[in-house]
Amino acid sequence: MIRKERTNDELTPEGGLDEGGIHGLLGYQLAQAAILTTAAFVGVVGKPLRLRPVEFTILQLVHKNAPVTATKLARALGITAPGVTIWLDRLQERGLLKRERNETDRRTQNVAITRKGAELVVTATDRLLQADRDLLKHLSEGERHMLLELLHKVARARQAVGTKAL
């Protein structure tokens, strides 16, 4: 069997292995990119600020959308209502969020961010934006913008397709 020589673009970023048919898979390329972004998150936010990615995301969403219900958060994150409740409990125990009864519908609770939570999410966001700039410095400004726009379009397909159909 004659093997075609692969270009560097068709080899794993580390280890130089032939990616074969998975090179063109979105999930595979996202997983490869996530290795970098996860390491950056852990280094600048995760360990120093004691935040997990989902906790940061919840804090940011609450910070920009408060008051918001747990149901809306669960839908935005693609997790169950009981799942988001566990995360909200943890963040509330740390004094980063608070829950209050909705004045118009007493059956629901609104989630709001505390001053401590707001300060933490602003610090975390600043650190992550700088880490992203460092990770993407080899791309032009147009390429960075295009990458983020395309990924956002892929993510928005959740509305059209619905995650249950997948």
Side-chain angles (χ1 to χ4, degrees):
M1 177 167 153
I2 299 173
R3 293 192 67 159
K4 178 183 144 195
E5 191 64 31
R6 297 287 181 185
T7 66
N8 281 343
D9 287 343
E10 298 174 90
L11 301 176
T12 58
E14 291 292 327
L17 299 176
D18 185 338
E19 294 172 334
I22 63 173
H23 178 78
L25 291 177
L26 173 64
Y28 172 73
Q29 294 301 341
L30 288 173
Q32 287 293 314
I35 294 168
L36 287 172
T37 58
T38 299
F41 183 93
V42 169
V44 301
V45 170
K47 285 185 181 178
L49 302 180
R50 297 182 317 122
L51 277 179
R52 294 180 178 144
V54 69
E55 292 170 328
F56 166 73
T57 303
I58 289 170
L59 288 173
Q60 181 65 24
L61 291 174
V62 172
H63 183 59
K64 292 300 177 185
N65 298 282
V68 64
T69 65
T71 303
K72 276 192 169 184
L73 286 170
R75 202 170 29 239
L77 295 166
I79 60 177
T80 65
V84 83
T85 299
I86 292 168
W87 292 110
L88 293 175
D89 288 345
R90 289 178 185 174
L91 292 168
Q92 188 169 1
E93 286 171 14
R94 287 183 61 189
L96 304 174
L97 293 179
K98 59 186 174 185
R99 289 183 263 197
E100 302 164 338
R101 287 267 170 235
N102 184 316
E103 291 300 319
T104 56
D105 182 355
R106 304 287 295 162
R107 296 170 295 167
T108 63
Q109 289 184 331
N110 289 327
V111 180
I113 199 161
T114 63
R115 170 179 266 142
K116 180 180 174 183
E119 290 170 358
L120 183 65
V121 79
V122 167
T123 298
T125 301
D126 289 345
R127 290 179 179 196
L128 288 169
L129 289 171
Q130 182 58 53
D132 266 12
R133 284 190 291 274
D134 293 343
L135 285 175
L136 301 176
K137 65 184 171 194
H138 64 285
L139 300 178
S140 70
E141 184 178 337
E143 288 171 328
R144 288 189 299 271
H145 180 72
M146 187 183 311
L147 173 64
L148 294 174
E149 283 297 314
L150 290 172
L151 289 172
H152 187 68
K153 275 187 171 183
V154 169
R156 289 191 62 88
R158 251 177 68 197
Q159 287 179 323
V161 180
T163 54
K164 290 181 180 152
L166 300 176

